[in-house]
Amino acid sequence: MGKRRSSGRVTLQDVANYVGVGIMTVSRVMRTPELVSDKVRQQVQQAVDTLGYEANVQASHLAGHPSTRTTLQDVARHAGVGPMTVSRALREPELVSEASLKKIHQAVAELGYVPHQAAATLASTQLHTVAVLYPFQHDRASNRFIQSLQQSLNNQPFRLIMACHEYHQYGETPLVEKLLQMRPAALVLFSAQLSQKTCKLIESADIVTANIGGAGHLPADITFNIAIGEAAETLTHALLEKGYQRIAFLGAHTDNRLHKQQLNGWHKAMMSHYQNADLMITVPDAPSLEFGRYALCQLLQNQPDLDAVICSHEEIALGVMYECQRRLLKIPYNLAVACLNGSNNCDHTFPVLTSMRLDYEKLGQTVGEKLLMMLDDSPHAVEEDLKFVLHIGDSS
């Protein structure tokens, strides 16, 4: 623990320095202790007692705790419309229907909402920002989804702020905290791990939320469940039905829940046909051509009669195909190759790569459109299940 500063009134920063944590953590202990570990809570409480810290009641009131003041979101919920509609009614009422104006004015009167310049500025910030949490900067699926999401929002005065969670469940919480500090109108979670702590933080933020292929149960406004395990099972069954028996699985990012589902789908299909489900090489690293080449070398060394390979990513499958070319192995006569989570790039390989595909461009556009509807009209929550489509190529 650090030392208290020698002079002046004891502040939150003094407590934070004493404990050796950030000032946001100390503030959270004071306001929402359930979001902080027991150990940190005890350390902060000990520092408060030791330093004689006293909360500044006036400052706390000015901070405007959500439970003590009426917000624009409160008015929107009470009126049954979106926060964008409320903001528009207060700033440009001529753009809002008479029916909506009547409901909004009634909600404002009943809740005692008093807009002021600072609040208007804050609302403007909220209504023009969409926060996105996604896996990796070089993740093909993420890039296709985000680009399409951005295009769908281009016709509206929105901007995206983004952060990469890198499949670290407990690293998501500080990233979500930073995104929420930007006061976004909506939060989009793409393939997130979602720990219980992260879910509580998002729920307490009370903003429009989209959960795309995420882990855990989060009561989001927009939910798209991606059947990635079913995709692996479907692809494996397709190869088995073609007569392939010794089918290996090569996977990356297998330390996260989503890609473990791929492995489980492959394993389930192999066992249902009474085939060997031990032919696999997986790594927690990012997918790459190098891994595809290296993994195939290892497989052929231990299993020379291997007749098919399923890869978790397109990049791995391309590495396998390159290694086959180097070894003068003919695809699919000597070895069949297929991949999960493929893209249109698979149509341009030789031979054409068999793959499971999901239209992430269409998904991004759909999420963008539904976000705008949520922010403007506040419809009921949406939940849909998405399935991959099998594209059979000459590689199998």
Side-chain angles (χ1 to χ4, degrees):
M1 293 186 179
K3 295 183 178 180
R4 176 188 167 185
R5 290 183 297 188
S6 59
S7 63
R9 184 178 182 276
V10 179
T11 65
L12 278 181
Q13 187 63 63
D14 294 323
V15 177
N17 292 342
Y18 190 92
V19 178
V21 297
I23 191 171
M24 286 291 295
T25 301
V26 177
S27 178
R28 194 175 301 112
V29 171
M30 303 295 183
R31 294 181 292 107
T32 53
E34 68 277 4
L35 298 181
V36 184
S37 67
D38 293 338
K39 180 180 179 181
V40 173
R41 282 205 305 270
Q42 292 173 1
Q43 290 177 337
V44 171
Q45 188 58 53
Q46 180 183 352
V48 167
D49 295 339
T50 302
L51 299 177
Y53 171 76
E54 295 181 1
N56 188 329
V57 178
Q58 183 180 4
S60 298
H61 177 74
L62 292 175
H65 193 283
S67 63
T68 62
R69 66 184 177 89
T70 301
T71 66
L72 186 140
Q73 284 75 15
D74 295 327
V75 176
R77 282 195 302 272
H78 194 81
V81 298
M84 285 184 66
T85 303
V86 176
S87 178
R88 194 177 296 120
L90 298 176
R91 293 182 292 108
E92 301 173 290
E94 68 278 3
L95 300 180
V96 182
S97 67
E98 292 185 7
S100 295
L101 273 176
K102 183 178 179 180
K103 291 190 293 184
I104 292 170
H105 288 158
Q106 183 178 353
V108 168
E110 292 179 359
L111 297 177
Y113 175 71
V114 181
H116 52 81
Q117 188 60 42
T121 302
L122 178 58
S124 175
T125 303
Q126 289 177 320
L127 296 172
H128 290 78
T129 301
V130 173
V132 182
L133 186 66
Y134 67 103
F136 285 95
Q137 291 183 352
H138 301 294
D139 181 70
R140 292 176 182 266
S142 300
N143 291 337
R144 290 154 59 194
F145 171 80
I146 292 173
Q147 183 177 7
S148 181
L149 175 64
Q150 176 70 76
Q151 291 173 350
S152 69
L153 298 176
N154 278 344
N155 294 331
Q156 302 291 333
F158 280 92
R159 64 188 177 95
L160 295 185
I161 54 174
M162 296 174 284
C164 302
H165 59 72
E166 297 183 350
Y167 293 116
H168 294 160
Q169 186 182 76
Y170 298 102
E172 286 180 345
T173 302
L175 291 176
V176 170
E177 287 178 341
K178 291 180 180 179
L179 290 174
L180 294 179
Q181 287 172 12
M182 302 296 291
R183 300 288 184 177
L187 174 65
V188 179
L189 305 160
F190 187 82
S191 297
Q193 296 288 80
L194 298 178
S195 66
Q196 185 177 4
K197 186 176 181 180
T198 304
C199 288
K200 287 183 178 180
L201 181 63
I202 294 171
E203 290 175 26
S204 65
D206 191 26
I207 62 173
V208 175
T209 306
N211 184 17
I212 314 301
H217 176 70
L218 177 70
D221 300 284
I222 302 170
T223 302
F224 283 97
N225 301 309
I226 299 178
I228 198 165
E230 182 180 324
E233 187 176 354
T234 298
L235 180 56
T236 307
H237 275 302
L239 294 182
L240 289 165
E241 290 168 3
K242 280 196 167 189
Y244 299 106
Q245 297 180 343
R246 294 169 294 280
I247 304 174
F249 181 88
L250 302 181
H253 288 326
T254 50
D255 58 343
N256 74 83
R257 183 195 69 93
L258 296 175
H259 290 108
K260 284 180 180 177
Q261 290 183 359
Q262 291 182 332
L263 183 59
N264 292 338
W266 164 80
H267 188 273
K268 182 179 178 180
M270 293 294 287
M271 294 300 292
S272 68
H273 284 69
Y274 306 101
Q275 298 298 328
N276 181 7
D278 295 328
L279 301 176
M280 61 179 177
I281 298 179
T282 61
V283 294
D285 306 318
S288 65
L289 300 177
E290 292 81 1
F291 171 66
R293 293 189 59 185
Y294 165 80
L296 180 60
C297 292
Q298 293 296 109
L299 285 172
L300 292 177
Q301 182 177 354
N302 299 320
Q303 192 72 35
D305 57 347
L306 183 72
D307 57 12
V309 174
I310 292 178
C311 304
S312 64
H313 293 76
E314 188 177 287
E315 297 91 331
I316 299 175
L318 291 176
V320 169
M321 296 180 78
Y322 292 157
E323 183 61 23
C324 286
Q325 292 176 3
R326 192 183 73 83
R327 292 171 174 260
L328 301 180
L329 296 176
K330 294 183 179 180
I331 302 174
Y333 306 106
N334 300 123
L335 183 70
V337 183
C339 77
L340 298 159
N341 227 356
S343 69
N344 293 337
N345 292 335
C346 297
D347 295 331
H348 302 288
T349 62
F350 182 79
V352 174
L353 181 59
T354 293
S355 60
M356 298 295 294
R357 303 183 196 178
L358 185 66
D359 192 341
Y360 288 103
E361 288 83 359
K362 183 178 179 180
L363 176 59
Q365 179 182 354
T366 301
V367 171
E369 292 172 352
K370 291 188 180 298
L371 278 177
L372 293 176
M373 292 174 59
M374 288 282 178
L375 293 168
D376 202 10
D377 299 324
S378 190
H380 297 294
V382 176
E383 182 170 2
E384 296 182 19
D385 295 326
L386 302 179
K387 294 187 177 182
F388 285 76
V389 177
L390 174 60
H391 289 253
I392 297 293
D394 296 332
S395 68
S396 61

